[in-house]
């Protein structure tokens, strides 16, 4: 069977596919903000209805948080092909700061840019545009052949951007239904605009959100300044102490479980010729800030980090106020690698913090859960088949790469369901995911859809 008819069908259907994606982008499914709960529900309904138009048996499945969308479709009767599962997330990040957007984040538009046409809008790249690439590939396949080449399960979540609180119990309760031969996750990027990629390792994530309290109320800094310890001074000293002069994290035991690169991965990454000056230059920076002696790709993909994501306290309004505040707060995140244990790092961080609080000070934590890093084994022949299929579609051969971001479900597929996950996506570094003016190149959407058709062909041929 030739793949050309399916690819031609995808080409012809691109305008309609783009229109469908724009419909989905108009639904403001921000999972972290309770004000948008109804919109998350509507996005799930939209996907169920869309999958049903392809003949997929899809339903919305309620959870205690936002609903899951699960759909199944059988392959040809009697086929012994693999059973594939596609995962993506339909929720999106909040849009603030809204004033930095050039247009309404939920009124998507196709724009001409020097890098080609883009679809501008929140969720276009992370992850609605990516999620729709495999839906569109299946739609085209079904239209041409009347059926899909193998059994496929679709699993779309609406809580990824808010830490997936319902995901693990849902996977445990529906383990049999959700177990396939391999999970295909479309939520990562290309290596470069012409170089497709299969991501083989993701960093884990641990968040901490806390407030320290010193004096029992805000004080006049003339009456108390000098005798009373200022919580902002305490907080900034604690935060400043988290890194040493070589860029390493100082928490005792932090590097337990951090592996050195294997020779195989080191040579894969060397072959990528990563241009870190261009990567940093694009965001207005010049120098890598990671640990001394590490390569730029190691800093992003295989070394753990600690970052302050937000810090607040005291008077931040207009004008001047001589206050000595009662409280100071911060949000931190740690990116984890190897077998670093999020719980052990939380304990190490909290004891460092509490050891450095002056007498009489207290701390309150808002607990966030953590997820360990994940490393995919590429021994399943499906990986090389998919890599060849990507290479056939794009100008340059597909690479195996790492990813500095976190997609905890990749590890849960292995841990809870015993299945490998293959991470393939078509986002670009300049997509501005999680930022104002997010976009997805029309080429990413179009060639992404064509890539999935080729991968389906390669895995079932
Ligand atoms: N799609 C991203 C992960 C990602 C980031 C892939 C960068 C490729 C490049 C995902 O939606 C995401 O944002 N993950 C969060 C973690 C989640 C638990 C909130 C992240 O990495 O911060
Ligand atoms: Mn995502
Ligand atoms: Mn995201």
């Amino acid at each position: 069977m030739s793949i050309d008819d399916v690819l031609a069908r995808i080409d012809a259907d691109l305008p309609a596919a783009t229109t469908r994606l724009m419909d989905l982008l108009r639904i403001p499914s921000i999972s972290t903000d309770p004000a948008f709960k109804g919109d998350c529900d509507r996005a799930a309904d939209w996907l169920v209805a869309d999958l049903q138009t392809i003949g997929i048996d899809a339903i919305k499945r309620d959870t205690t948080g936002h609903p899951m969308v699960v759909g199944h479709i059988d392959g040809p009767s009697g086929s012994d092909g693999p059973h594939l599962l596609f995962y993506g997330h339909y929720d999106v990040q909040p849009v603030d700061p809204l004033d930095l957007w050039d247009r309404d984040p939920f009124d998507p538009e196709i724009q001409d840019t020097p890098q080609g046409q883009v679809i501008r809008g929140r969720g276009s790249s992370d992850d609605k545009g990516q999620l729709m690439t495999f839906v569109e590939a299946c739609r085209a396949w079904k239209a041409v052949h009347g059926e899909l080449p193998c059994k496929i399960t679709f699993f779309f979540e609406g809580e990824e951007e808010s830490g997936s609180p319902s995901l693990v119990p849902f996977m445990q309760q529906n383990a049999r239904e959700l177990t396939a031969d391999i999970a295909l996750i479309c939520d990562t990027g290309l290596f470069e605009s012409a170089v497709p990629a299969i991501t083989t390792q993701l960093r884990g994530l641990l968040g901490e959100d806390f407030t320290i309290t010193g004096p029992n109320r805000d004080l006049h800094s003339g009456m108390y300044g000098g005798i009373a310890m200022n919580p902002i001074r305490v907080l900034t000293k604690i935060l400043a102490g988290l890194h040493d002069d070589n860029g390493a994290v100082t928490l005792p035991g932090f590097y337990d479980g951090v592996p050195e690169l294997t020779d195989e991965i080191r040579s894969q990454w060397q072959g990528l010729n990563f241009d870190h000056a261009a990567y940093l230059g694009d965001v207005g920076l010049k120098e890598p800030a990671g640990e001394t002696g590490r390569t730029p790709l190691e800093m992003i993909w295989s070394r753990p980090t600690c970052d302050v994501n937000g810090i607040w306290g005291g008077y931040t309004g207009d004008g001047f106020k001589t206050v000595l505040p009662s409280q100071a707060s911060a949000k931190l995140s740690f990116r984890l690698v190897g077998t670093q244990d999020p719980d052990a790092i939380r304990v190490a961080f909290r004891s460092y913090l509490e050891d450095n609080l002056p007498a009489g000070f207290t701390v309150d934590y808002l607990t966030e859960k953590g997820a360990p890093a994940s490393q995919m084994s590429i021994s399943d022949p499906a990986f090389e088949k998919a890599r060849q299929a990507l290479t056939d579609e794009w100008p340059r051969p597909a690479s195996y790469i790492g990813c500095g971001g976190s997609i905890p479900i990749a590890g849960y597929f292995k841990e809870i369901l015993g299945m490998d996950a293959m991470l393939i996506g078509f986002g670009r570094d300049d997509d501005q995911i999680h930022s104002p003016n997010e976009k997805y190149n029309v080429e990413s959407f179009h060639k992404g859809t064509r890539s999935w058709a080729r991968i389906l062909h390669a895995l079932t041929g």
Side-chain angles (χ1 to χ4, degrees), residues 89 93 126 160-161 187 433-434:
H89 62 92
Q93 281 276 317
D126 188 12
E160 197 274 347
E161 300 290 10
D187 196 22
I433 63 171
H434 295 204

Side-chain angles (χ1 to χ4, degrees), residues 104-136:
D104 178 345
F106 297 108
D107 180 19
E109 184 183 57
I110 311 259
Q111 298 174 345
D112 287 309
T113 75
Q115 287 76 39
Q117 286 204 314
V118 305
I119 305 162
R120 184 85 59 189
R122 174 56 90 227
S124 55
S125 176
D126 188 12
D127 184 42
K128 290 171 175 172
Q130 303 241 70
L131 175 158
M132 288 304 287
T133 56
F134 45 55
V135 175
E136 294 300 345

Side-chain angles (χ1 to χ4, degrees), residues 263-274 295 297:
D263 291 341
E264 186 192 11
I265 290 185
R266 190 177 294 281
S267 78
Q268 280 169 10
W269 292 5
Q270 260 159 9
L272 294 170
N273 296 314
F274 178 58
T295 65
L297 278 184

